[in-house]
Amino acid sequence: MAEVVLRDVCKRYGSYNAVDNVNLTIRDKEFLVLVGPSGCGKSTTLRMIAGLEDISDGTIAIGDQTVNDLPPRDRDIAMVFQNYALYQHMTVYDNLAFGLRNRKVSEDIIKTEIDRAVDILGLRDLLKRKPRELSGGQQQRVALGRCIVRNAKVFLFDEPLSNLDAKLRAHMRLELKRLHRRVETTAVYVTHDQVEAMTLGDRVVVMNNSRIEQVGTPWEIYSRPSTRFVASFIGSPAMNFLDGKVKRNGSGYHIHAPGGAFHVSNESARGLVGQDGRDVIVGLRPEHIRLHDSKTDNALHGRVELTEQLGAEQLVEVIAEGARIMVSRVEAERELKPGTPVYLTVEPGQLRYFDQATEQALA
Amino acid sequence: MIGERLSFQIGLILPSVLVLLLFQVVPIFIGTDASFRRWSLYDPDKTWVGLEHYRYVLSDTNFLFTVLPNTFLLIVASVGLSLALGMAVALLLHRGIAAQRLVQTVVLLPLMIGPVIASTMMRWTFNDQFGVVNAFLGWLGLGQPAWLADRWYAFGVIVFTDVWIWTPWFALLLLAGLKSLPKEPFEAAALDAAGRWRIFTHITVPMLRPVIGVCVVIRAIDCFRTFDQVWLLTGGGPARSTEVFSIYVFMEAFQNLNFARGSAAAVIGTLIIMVAGLALYALINRFMDVSR
Amino acid sequence: MSLASSGSSLPRRTGLFDMLRPGARAAFMTLAVSAVLLLFLAPIIILVVTSLRPGWGVYYIYRGTEFTLANYVEVFQRGVVIEAFFNSFLVATAATVLSLGVTVTSGYMLSRFKGWLPKTWFTSIYVFRTVPYISWVLPLYVVNESLGLYDTFFGILAAHVAVHVCFFSWIMKGFFDGIDPSMEYAAMIDGCTRWGAFRRVALPAAGPAIAALGILSWLWTWNEFLFALILTGNRTPLLTVTMAQFVTELGTEWNLMSAMAVMAMIPAVIITLFAQKYVIQGLRI
């Protein structure tokens, strides 16, 4: 039960910055997810919190204590690893008891703690087995159990679900969420999967190129991405980016984009003030685009290139003046032959704008 | 100040480093020092004589024209033959044959019983009067050579013994390599109507190249120091004609009782194998890169 | 459809082997297997048969029918033989325990750490592994002699541990490379020191592989000849050298020498028969 504070944290390997000046406060009892592509520094950040990597610069504090020089065993943390890292030569019971025995907890208390964890996770029948006799999902539960019995101040998760198949992953995601509601502990969770990040996190930290791009609730990250990278990384299918030109026009703005133009009224023109005459990147989420068969105002004109039938919906790729635009949530039964002319419209408030040079969101 | 991580690393290797220093590095220094001195009972001061011993060894026709050629010939013949034979045995075992387990056990035996016993039994098997080989040749009505009394026959027996010992090693490592290969390329080749030999030369061998390369380098470097087989089969004879590097050093030091001269030869041999080993390593590396 | 038909019309490259009828192919395989068995088994069988023949019978071992165990009895009546067996057993066992103990941490370090120190150490063991044995055992003989260690148990033991340092460190590195380090991270988070994580988690996980290497190490030391020849004499007789002396002194007594060789071969045979899986695992590079 503690806050974790990272102040100006850096990790350097020679001249390479693996983690560059990270400032972050993880609140008490919060479930915080670090997400980003591989090599973005998220795992290194987690391993520095755990004490498995030295900190090159800056400080990390858990609770009121600066832990820079503490070895992992003295940090009062628990961690779940990608491949579970169960002790292969010990039974499930001994795996769960190992951390407590190292801390000289009496066997009676160990038994009570393990009983509690076993009930939460449904491991009762597996206690005498060795890890290699368990399925992937069961091993995953034992790894979680090892965390629960420890009553540590902070739980760390390093891509714990990525070795599971898709179905089991979705199931374990729910279990993790339920678990965190029962065992209220500060948790830091690293993943490269944006769905995990959105569904699990109280707050999400998006990292890229060793830096933090944005910190916010899943909804904030999705609806107000602060950079083009965040906008493209979060959301599936990924956001469309079009080159656009802004023109001031009486009651609002005109955004010229490939295949047409959108009119944006003053009320929904957040971010466009002062951009008159400038080139910007316009971001449209595929799920916000509507497809029309006939000519419509405020629409981009294009032709259907490909369709992907998903059963519940269709994904449609439209080409407008050479630009590719993905459209999702198209009714599954609608017939769209390649080459069909279509018109794309968007609620003006749902458009996002990014600076062409800095790729920062305009707001 | 030494960090916690570094001191842990030092602690882990310290026992090994100490053993290596005390029993390998220090003797090498002493031996190298001795190779520059006169080392005999009549010269208690062990006078510094510079490169005298090196000059002797490097102008010794026996060393230059018998010992070194023998050593490298043994490497080429032994490594080449045991690689080829080992590959054949590995393919046989990989195919899955009747009595698989029996064959694997029998193939493992030579490696396990070691060079001393192997050489002993070969010496008996190739005995010119009572050996089974000559008895068999006699039964066929062929000539019965005095195997160990002729330079090239004796050398042949040495190579045969070395191949007999080391073929299993190649076979086992190549078999492990074969088992770890993915199946798909072989299935694809079968669909492409490739014959067995083409599959072997175009798929099996290229994919096994890393294993083959590592095996050849290790075995070639180890083969350079061969002693037991030669010593026990021929003792370097007849007339010092089958001596290899290690035997030469041993003879100089213990037969001719010239420790310093033996040490000089040892230093020369060490330098040769280090350079040759590096070259071989680079060659194999390139050879493996090309295959990718 | 068109693909399938064009595929089947391609001429298939056919080797000699494929042209044989199935029966002939089976015969060929049987022949190949028999050849392999004969090559590797024949010398051993000849040795065993020789050891069972009376002294006057070894010269036509392929014809006689008299068999006897007298050779074994006679060999064991020589005190030096029993002493040699005992010494070799002791040296092999002690050298194995010490070599494994010394190198297991070294291999672990090479596997788990990066930086100048592991790099330097790895290069060192690589270089020292290529040094021919005679180049350091010859001066070691002088060192041992001046320290009074020549022909002693400790003198030969030290050489055997030293020769294993480089090779075993290298092999052990491979063992630990095959073990996921996150188990040790978990242990460190669970309250272990670095050393504790190695001893209580990594070491048990590498246990079977280390045991396999131990078996091989024991056999290699048991079979070793050069060190024994140079570093020991009459006070510490070892198996291989004692056996070799049969060849020179009793050059014609092949029956006795064979009996001793067969006895010396027993550990290798037992291990090959009953610990084959381990041995093959330990031979990996």
Side-chain angles (χ1 to χ4, degrees), chain A residues 16-18 36-44 159 207-211:
Chain A
Y16 172 70
N17 283 332
S38 57
C40 72
K42 57 192 192 299
S43 276
T44 311
E159 310 219 13
M207 287 187 75
N208 187 35
N209 286 333
S210 315
R211 291 167 172 279

Side-chain angles (χ1 to χ4, degrees), chain A residues 79-131:
Chain A
M79 186 157 168
V80 178
F81 293 84
Q82 179 171 357
N83 43 21
Y84 324 129
L86 301 180
Y87 311 123
Q88 297 297 323
H89 57 294
M90 298 184 196
T91 62
V92 169
Y93 186 92
D94 290 336
N95 261 281
L96 297 173
F98 189 72
L100 297 174
R101 284 182 184 148
N102 284 334
R103 286 180 171 72
K104 311 262 185 286
V105 178
S106 79
E107 287 293 327
D108 292 345
I109 299 176
I110 292 178
K111 194 161 180 342
T112 328
E113 286 297 330
I114 291 180
D115 273 340
R116 183 177 67 102
V118 158
D119 285 338
I120 296 176
L121 296 166
L123 290 169
R124 179 67 61 194
D125 302 329
L126 307 175
L127 285 176
K128 288 206 171 64
R129 301 227 196 135
K130 292 266 179 76

Side-chain angles (χ1 to χ4, degrees), chain C residues 83-93 218 222 237-240:
Chain C
E83 211 182 329
F85 268 99
F86 181 73
N87 283 341
S88 279
F89 179 84
L90 221 56
V91 169
T93 309
W218 193 92
W222 176 262
L238 289 170
L239 182 66
T240 47

Side-chain angles (χ1 to χ4, degrees), chain A residues 1 3 7 39 51 113 163 183 193-194 236 264 283 295 312 325 361:
Chain A
M1 326 296 131
E3 195 176 67
R7 210 167 281 126
E113 286 297 330
N163 279 8
V183 189
D193 178 357
Q194 46 122 349
S236 172
V264 181
K295 196 163 168 46
I325 305 173

